[in-house]
Amino acid sequence: MPVPLYQAKAEFFRMLGHPVRIRVLELLQDGPMPVRELLANIEVERSNLSQQLAVLRRSGIVTSAREADTVVYSLAGPDVAELLGAARRILTELIAGQQGLLDELRATQPVGAPTRGR
Amino acid sequence: MPVPLYQAKAEFFRMLGHPVRIRVLELLQDGPMPVRELLANIEVERSNLSQQLAVLRRSGIVTSAREADTVVYSLAGPDVAELLGAARRILTELIAGQQGLLDELRATQPVGAPTRGR
DNA sequence: GCAGCAATTGAAGAAATCTTCAATTCGTGA
DNA sequence: TCACGAATTGAAGATTTCTTCAATTGCTGC
């Protein structure tokens, strides 16, 4: 396994690590969408959206095309839905786990107090 | 859809956005592993690894347990492999796409030069 | 108790990312 | 050609994350 692969993977995930970028990818799952419409669906100012779109474009996960006076964005490939799905499953799992932990904490009323919960 | 979900998803991906953390997760896919062994497999100094393990622990994607004089880490759930797999597929796709683009660029010797490739 | 190894923690400076603003590009229609 | 709206860009300051160091905790064996 070549060494810099971990670097590429990490960069890829970092590219996904922003709420606006996530929303864009989710919106694009239903098909191509002009910037105007993205802007209407996401609470962010135009220039900030542009910055985030630029990040996505640079990574290659989306493509853009000009159509008359608007710019339309699309997903570059089909596997994005799968990725977001897997992420959602893990998140659900993690949140469920934390919920379980909370329940546990609520149920256990310590006397001597273990005082080591981190 | 509740609004702060995008926040949670973004944080999740940001948590994955570091080469050492990716390597740890990949190594843990084959089963629990003591820190000592992680350290032997990843080129990073002990205290930096600890910092990254702390990030993973805080997010809940791994758990740790002390066994005598060593600490053993495990994946908290089963879906991690799926996520990393999906990520690998997209990465492969993206790199292939960039390769295709490169080929295209090499093949097309512009005369008037479009000068707008970004 | 104390020495010794394993692992974690806290803190500080360095490096990367975010947000925001003004300036610019691109196309359309007057 | 000029003005206009849509979208992008570059740059600066603020915020966040990384790396590294010294100090600390936890366990084992003497």
Side-chain angles (χ1 to χ4, degrees):
Chain A
M1 249 192 253
V3 174
L5 226 185
Y6 304 107
Q7 192 65 38
K9 290 187 187 177
E11 271 170 36
F12 175 72
F13 283 120
R14 228 180 302 132
M15 176 273 282
L16 295 171
H18 190 289
V20 169
R21 298 199 288 263
I22 294 283
R23 289 209 66 180
V24 168
L25 292 180
E26 291 189 343
L27 287 170
L28 291 185
Q29 280 186 90
D30 300 334
M33 191 175 279
V35 171
R36 178 177 25 79
E37 208 167 326
L38 290 171
L39 205 46
N41 281 277
I42 309 177
E43 273 203 22
V44 64
E45 55 177 299
R46 181 190 299 274
S47 126
N48 196 342
L49 178 59
S50 262
Q51 296 281 359
Q52 307 312 328
L53 288 174
V55 173
L56 293 174
R57 242 184 303 125
R58 256 178 260 132
S59 85
I61 203 174
V62 304
T63 58
S64 69
R66 199 163 201 123
E67 286 189 16
D69 62 333
T70 71
V71 176
V72 178
Y73 278 81
S74 329
L75 293 186
D79 290 331
V80 173
E82 207 182 334
L83 180 82
L84 294 178
R88 183 156 42 82
R89 268 191 296 285
I90 300 193
L91 264 180
T92 306
E93 194 181 89
L94 288 182
I95 290 170
Q98 287 168 6
Q99 190 56 50
L101 201 72
L102 272 182
D103 294 346
E104 233 179 284
L105 282 173
R106 260 196 289 277
T108 311
Q109 201 61 273
V111 181
T115 43
R116 207 77 238 318
R118 165 157 296 279
Chain B
M1 249 190 253
V3 175
L5 225 185
Y6 304 106
Q7 192 64 39
K9 290 187 188 177
E11 272 170 35
F12 176 71
F13 283 120
R14 229 179 301 132
M15 176 274 281
L16 295 172
H18 189 290
V20 168
R21 299 199 287 264
I22 294 283
R23 289 209 65 179
V24 168
L25 292 179
E26 291 190 342
L27 287 169
L28 292 184
Q29 280 185 92
D30 299 334
M33 192 175 277
V35 172
R36 178 177 24 80
E37 209 165 327
L38 290 171
L39 205 46
N41 281 277
I42 309 176
E43 272 203 21
V44 64
E45 56 178 297
R46 182 190 299 273
S47 124
N48 196 341
L49 178 59
S50 262
Q51 297 281 359
Q52 307 312 331
L53 289 174
V55 172
L56 293 174
R57 244 184 300 124
R58 257 178 257 132
S59 86
I61 203 175
V62 305
T63 58
S64 68
R66 201 166 200 120
E67 284 188 19
D69 61 335
T70 71
V71 176
V72 177
Y73 278 81
S74 331
L75 293 185
D79 290 330
V80 174
E82 206 181 335
L83 180 82
L84 295 178
R88 183 155 42 82
R89 267 190 298 284
I90 300 193
L91 265 179
T92 305
E93 195 179 272
L94 288 182
I95 290 171
Q98 288 169 6
Q99 190 56 49
L101 200 73
L102 271 183
D103 294 345
E104 232 178 285
L105 282 174
R106 259 196 290 276
T108 311
Q109 201 63 272
V111 180
T115 44
R116 223 15 187 55
R118 164 155 294 284

